[in-house]
Amino acid sequence: MRLRFVGTGDSAQVPRFGCDCPACQRARVLSCHRRGPCCAEVRVDGQRYLLDAGRMDLAEDCERERPAAILLTHYHVDHVQGLFHLRWGAGEPIPVYGPKDPQGCADLHQHAGVLAFQPGLKPFRPLQLEGMEAIPVPLNHSKPTLGYCLDDGGSRLAYLTDTCGLPPETERFLRRWRPDAVVLDATHPASHTEPRNHNTLSMALEIVERLAPQRAWLTHLSHAVDAEAMVAPLALPPHVTLARDGDEHTLCAPHERIA
């Protein structure tokens, strides 16, 4: 399994409009520090799967390489806005999976076009895709939201955004499932005192410690996290990294997994 971070920012992105903090000023000058809408892709056995669809150039990107399917975490605009252009495309339908949400986002369900929206996924019920199994798990957010536990038969990746903490049943499942790698929401810096829809950095690190993956990446990051990191290095364990737009990682099977 190969993982690519397409976007690692929160809904405001980095740079944030109108903000003159050091992180936003840096991102305006150095494109490597920009953070787009949070989304990713995985490649397994020649198949390309998208995790969320927030990038505004999604139609152009999919024209270069059509995805086998799209897995949506939820229907907030910053995670689905790319679909509004993509849906008016031509050719074979693109399967789109996600949580059961009758409201969806605007008229996406009513006017789906080339998008083949599938029935809402049921938590913990495996979805069989070509080359991998995807198990949806519920997350804590203001809309029905799912994370995805992806297993290609060799490595296991848990993609968990957007969430504020983890529901007890999700954490119990993950501790039994034992992911090799975790991608986790860490929108707010540790100094943030009133998290609501997203983890703070300290909350995310506590979750990573409990799940004990070999590697973890923090995503859905705000400009405030980057600004604090510019003042002093963040106290991250060696196996935990702030994700960056465009980063790619190959996930290898562990030497041994105890059932």
Side-chain angles (χ1 to χ4, degrees):
M1 185 187 304
R2 187 159 184 82
L3 166 70
R4 178 173 177 264
F5 290 101
V6 180
T8 60
D10 65 352
S11 58
Q13 306 179 59
V14 182
R16 179 188 182 195
F17 175 73
C19 181
D20 290 324
C21 78
C24 290
Q25 292 187 54
R26 179 182 65 177
R28 291 188 182 98
V29 176
L30 300 173
S31 61
C32 62
H33 291 289
R34 289 178 173 265
R35 297 190 185 279
C38 187
C39 51
E41 66 178 34
V42 294
R43 294 177 182 271
V44 181
D45 291 347
Q47 301 296 314
R48 178 190 183 215
Y49 297 100
L50 305 186
L51 297 167
D52 279 334
R55 57 185 294 176
M56 292 303 292
D57 63 345
L58 186 64
E60 178 184 352
D61 177 74
C62 290
E63 193 168 60
R64 290 191 294 267
E65 184 180 3
R66 204 176 191 90
I70 300 173
L71 302 176
L72 299 178
T73 59
H74 64 299
Y75 284 93
H76 274 151
V77 173
D78 56 316
H79 291 259
V80 300
Q81 58 194 351
L83 298 179
F84 285 92
H85 300 111
L86 182 64
R87 62 177 169 170
W88 302 126
E92 291 296 316
I94 301 172
V96 181
Y97 300 90
K100 184 177 182 180
D101 184 346
Q103 291 185 330
C105 183
D107 65 350
L108 273 176
H109 287 158
Q110 185 179 1
H111 301 291
V114 75
L115 305 175
F117 285 98
Q118 306 300 305
L121 295 175
K122 294 185 178 180
F124 307 112
R125 180 172 293 184
L127 171 66
Q128 299 301 327
L129 301 169
E130 187 171 348
M132 72 174 182
E133 177 182 78
I135 303 175
V137 294
L139 299 178
N140 291 326
H141 202 48
S142 57
K143 254 186 170 295
T145 303
L146 296 173
Y148 291 97
C149 297
L150 308 176
D151 187 344
D152 67 354
S155 56
R156 290 179 173 179
L157 168 68
Y159 187 84
L160 310 170
T161 184
D162 300 21
T163 193
C164 184
L166 292 177
E169 65 273 22
T170 294
E171 182 157 337
R172 285 194 297 268
F173 171 82
L174 287 166
R175 294 177 74 170
R176 292 194 306 268
W177 191 70
R178 298 185 61 202
D180 306 308
V182 168
V183 177
L184 183 61
D185 182 308
T187 300
H188 304 296
S191 60
H192 189 80
T193 58
E194 297 182 358
R196 187 168 60 90
N197 275 329
H198 300 277
N199 291 325
T200 65
L201 180 64
S202 56
M203 290 170 64
L205 291 178
E206 290 171 2
I207 292 171
V208 169
E209 183 178 8
R210 293 195 300 270
L211 298 183
Q214 294 178 346
R215 301 189 68 182
W217 294 275
L218 306 181
T219 192
H220 208 283
L221 300 161
S222 68
H223 71 125
V225 173
D226 285 339
E228 285 204 0
M230 292 177 69
V231 174
L234 301 177
L236 301 180
H239 65 298
V240 180
T241 308
L242 297 186
R244 295 202 172 275
D245 290 23
D247 281 359
E248 296 188 30
H249 306 276
T250 298
L251 306 184
C252 300
H255 294 300
E256 181 180 6
R257 187 194 303 281
I258 300 174

